[in-house]
Amino acid sequence: DTEVTQTPKHLVMGMTNKKSLKCEQHMGHRAMYWYKQKAKKPPELMFVYSYEKLSINESVPSRFSPECPNSSLLNLHLHALQPEDSALYLCASSHIPGQGWASGRAGTYEQYFGPGTRLTVT
Amino acid sequence: GIQVEQSPPDLILQEGANSTLRCNFSDSVNNLQWFHQNPWGQLINLFYIPSGTKQNGRLSATTVATERYSLLYISSSQTTDSGVYFCAVVEGNAGNMLTFGGGTRLMVKP
């Protein structure tokens, strides 16, 4: 099973709302990622979690707050967003280079993406 | 950071035609993936190919790591091949952080 799921598929929120995006995977991956994709642009990395700890924050504004409650789940909490934050938010997962039994296998570090949440901020 | 350039940016094909998409990158890479993004936004894994050649049905890919480029071949194109094709790489010392190229937008006409 190479599936990453994301909920909700679509989200419309006002600038004063608080909402959360959810991501789940059951592939035994210990790295999980949030990407943001604006229309007609490639995805851009926001956050990386390794072994449930935040390892990379690509200078993302504090109105985006990630959380990794366990090895299968990744959340992105949203608060006081701006209209320019409207985008497709993609979650991905992968093994971590050198991770246990997975190291050395072909395709070990391949990232798998969820279907995304299309967010509109009004 | 590493630069990833894809060409052509846009491509229109007649159904049944063949095409080659190119990805150039500016530094050594540990990981290179090709994705197809469908009209609904889903990124579909096509190939994990940091080096060598792979084939999957009508698609094949070749990465020449020493010359810092990768090619994606689509043969006998179908309308369902339409969408955006992205190349993404992990720079040698960048953990597993993917950097995406700008994409090739493909339209296959019936």
Side-chain angles (χ1 to χ4, degrees), chain A residues 33 35 37 40 42-43 45 56 94 107 109-111 113-115 118, chain B residues 31 33 35 37 40-43 45 48 86 96-98 100-101 105:
Chain A
Y33 313 80
Y35 291 82
Q37 186 178 20
K40 299 190 186 300
L45 184 68
I56 293 172
S94 75
Y109 316 131
E110 188 171 0
Q111 287 190 29
F113 283 77
R118 201 166 293 277
Chain B
N31 174 6
Q33 293 184 239
F35 297 94
Q37 188 165 41
W40 297 272
Q42 173 80 60
L43 278 168
N45 290 37
Y48 171 86
F86 286 108
N96 204 27
M97 294 168 53
L98 280 176
F100 282 75
R105 191 171 301 271

Side-chain angles (χ1 to χ4, degrees), chain A residues 48-70:
Chain A
V48 181
Y49 271 83
S50 300
Y51 298 109
E52 296 86 68
K53 294 193 187 314
L54 183 64
S55 58
I56 293 172
N57 175 341
E58 291 288 276
S59 303
V60 178
S62 60
R63 56 185 184 269
F64 295 92
S65 175
E67 178 197 21
C68 190
N70 61 52

